Amino acid sequence: MNPTVYVHDLEPVIWQITDSIALRWYGLAYLMGFIGGYYLLSWLSRRKLYPVPQDKMADFVTYTAIFGVLIGGRLGYVLFYQIPNHGWSQFLADPLMALRVWEGGMASHGGMIGVGLYTFYYAWKHRVKWAALLDGLAIVAPVGLFCGRLANFINGELYGRIVPPGSSLGMIFPAELSQDPDLFVRVASRIYETPGLLDKLSLSGVAVPERMTAAWVTDRVRDTPAIREIVGQMMQDHARYPSQLYEAFAEGVLLFAVLWLVRIRFPRAWNGLFCGIFAVLYAAGRIICEEYREPDSPFSMGLTRGQFLSVFLLLVGVAFFIYAFKTRQTVQECAFYEPEKKDGKESSGKAV
């Protein structure tokens, strides 16, 4: 085994409350993304760079998170990945699985569609420019994307492709054992064949199942050095790119830096410009990073599912650029409108 290759052994659970309830890094990542988005949008609102007033911000962010990010992201995963991978039969046998967000499985493209639909309704209801609403969300979205990709890394999921021989960039992700039965059998056999190992685990209080599973081996990698060493030895030819970290940088750090800089340097930038920048840069970064990420769905026209969906996102970005240059409206021209207050001045704005 190459001693420099890191065997992923991070614990996805922060605090195990009961057998079925736990505080996980994945859930905390979403929470941190929503909180960060709230404070950044509030900062922009106080400086007249976002059309939602400060006293309405908490409700707006909460509903956008629920109806846009969570529901949209989950339904997007079901439609873009779950059904194409496993067919309609599994979904029709248990359609409520689409609502079980806590079981994992979210699609960023689905979340974007969900946010777009919810903010379109919100813009219509409050007579505020839809593009101006989306612009602010586009600016703060990379914060949530960054947190989410870090959580993917901690969970050891959505890992990258196998690195070339001799590369020092690879990491070993034990979660691969659940996707490769032959590899798991070889690892399990080595564990069974190691003299006294399972007896030592039993004496130390670790429950040893009658039939070993990939999930059990992955858990033991985190708390048993001997099994971590065995997995590292048996999987040394399966070192993979930590593509989650590449995506965290491209979709999070880099994208946020560009959008925030443009927003601050050009306070009267046209509505829709930030949506265009976000869509184009996110799509470009995703297409590049997918070259290092293990495909988790069948290819479409020679592209991974993430690349295929990102092509359409590029077109959406171009459409927003055209809208921005055509309308040349700024966020300072948007007036938030309360439906219950119907006087002539307050109802003059129109949703776009």
Side-chain angles (χ1 to χ4, degrees):
M1 174 184 174
N2 184 350
T4 63
V5 177
Y6 169 66
V7 179
H8 186 279
D9 60 351
L10 300 180
E11 174 59 63
V13 176
I14 302 173
W15 179 29
Q16 190 71 46
I17 303 172
T18 68
D19 290 340
S20 58
I21 300 176
L23 177 61
R24 297 177 177 272
W25 286 108
Y26 196 72
L28 183 62
Y30 272 90
L31 180 61
M32 295 302 295
F34 296 146
I35 293 176
Y38 167 78
Y39 280 107
L40 289 172
L41 288 177
S42 297
W43 190 91
L44 292 174
S45 177
R46 289 194 298 270
R47 288 157 179 78
K48 308 300 181 184
L49 296 176
Y50 197 59
V52 178
Q54 184 67 30
D55 60 335
K56 305 294 181 184
M57 190 64 70
D59 287 343
F60 172 71
V61 172
T62 299
Y63 291 131
T64 301
I66 294 173
F67 296 110
V69 177
L70 296 179
I71 294 180
R74 180 60 177 176
L75 292 179
Y77 171 78
V78 172
L79 294 174
F80 299 151
Y81 295 93
Q82 182 73 21
I83 292 176
N85 287 349
H86 303 285
W88 282 94
S89 57
Q90 186 182 74
F91 172 73
L92 294 176
D94 183 21
L96 292 180
M97 60 85 64
L99 302 179
R100 294 196 287 269
V101 179
W102 56 90
E103 293 184 353
M106 302 285 282
S108 54
H109 292 94
M112 293 175 196
I113 294 173
V115 168
L117 292 175
Y118 174 72
T119 52
F120 185 84
Y121 162 76
Y122 190 92
W124 168 80
K125 180 179 179 181
H126 296 284
R127 301 297 188 272
V128 65
K129 299 295 184 181
W130 181 48
L133 275 181
L134 285 179
D135 272 347
L137 293 174
I139 293 170
V140 304
V143 176
L145 292 169
F146 173 78
C147 293
R149 293 308 183 191
L150 288 185
N152 290 148
F153 178 73
I154 292 174
N155 286 351
E157 60 192 7
L158 304 183
Y159 41 74
R161 307 185 191 199
I162 295 177
V163 301
S167 173
S168 61
L169 299 177
M171 298 181 183
I172 293 174
F173 292 92
E176 182 186 354
L177 294 173
S178 63
Q179 305 296 322
D180 190 334
D182 293 336
L183 178 61
F184 166 68
V185 169
R186 295 198 297 272
V187 170
S189 297
R190 176 64 65 86
I191 294 174
Y192 279 123
E193 294 167 359
T194 302
L197 176 57
L198 296 181
D199 292 336
K200 290 180 181 178
L201 288 176
S202 297
L203 291 174
S204 64
V206 176
V208 178
E210 294 183 5
R211 184 174 182 179
M212 195 176 297
T213 64
W216 183 85
V217 174
T218 301
D219 288 338
R220 298 291 72 78
V221 166
R222 300 185 183 109
D223 57 26
T224 308
I227 290 184
R228 182 163 58 247
E229 183 177 354
I230 290 173
V231 169
Q233 291 173 348
M234 299 299 294
M235 296 182 64
Q236 60 183 327
D237 294 331
H238 289 255
R240 295 175 175 274
Y241 291 108
S243 58
Q244 313 97 320
L245 300 182
Y246 301 168
E247 291 183 288
F249 176 77
E251 302 170 8
V253 177
L254 182 60
L255 190 51
F256 176 76
V258 172
L259 288 164
W260 190 261
L261 178 63
V262 175
R263 175 75 283 180
I264 300 305
R265 292 289 301 273
F266 303 98
R268 298 192 65 84
W270 300 326
N271 295 336
L273 179 65
F274 298 94
C275 292
I277 295 175
F278 173 88
V280 170
L281 291 185
Y282 175 89
R286 182 68 181 269
I287 289 172
I288 294 172
C289 289
E290 287 279 325
E291 290 296 313
Y292 297 93
R293 173 175 164 175
E294 181 69 16
D296 51 359
S297 195
F299 280 68
S300 301
M301 300 175 63
L303 302 174
T304 68
R305 186 58 49 84
Q307 290 174 326
F308 182 73
L309 295 173
S310 293
V311 171
F312 293 97
L313 191 58
L314 282 172
L315 299 178
V316 170
V318 172
F320 272 111
F321 282 137
I322 293 173
Y323 169 85
F325 282 97
K326 182 178 179 180
T327 59
R328 297 174 182 260
Q329 295 175 331
T330 67
V331 66
Q332 289 80 9
E333 300 172 45
C334 299
F336 189 90
Y337 167 68
E338 286 287 8
E340 63 270 16
K341 297 178 182 179
K342 298 182 178 180
D343 60 60
K345 294 182 179 180
E346 291 176 315
S347 61
S348 60
K350 293 182 180 180
V352 174

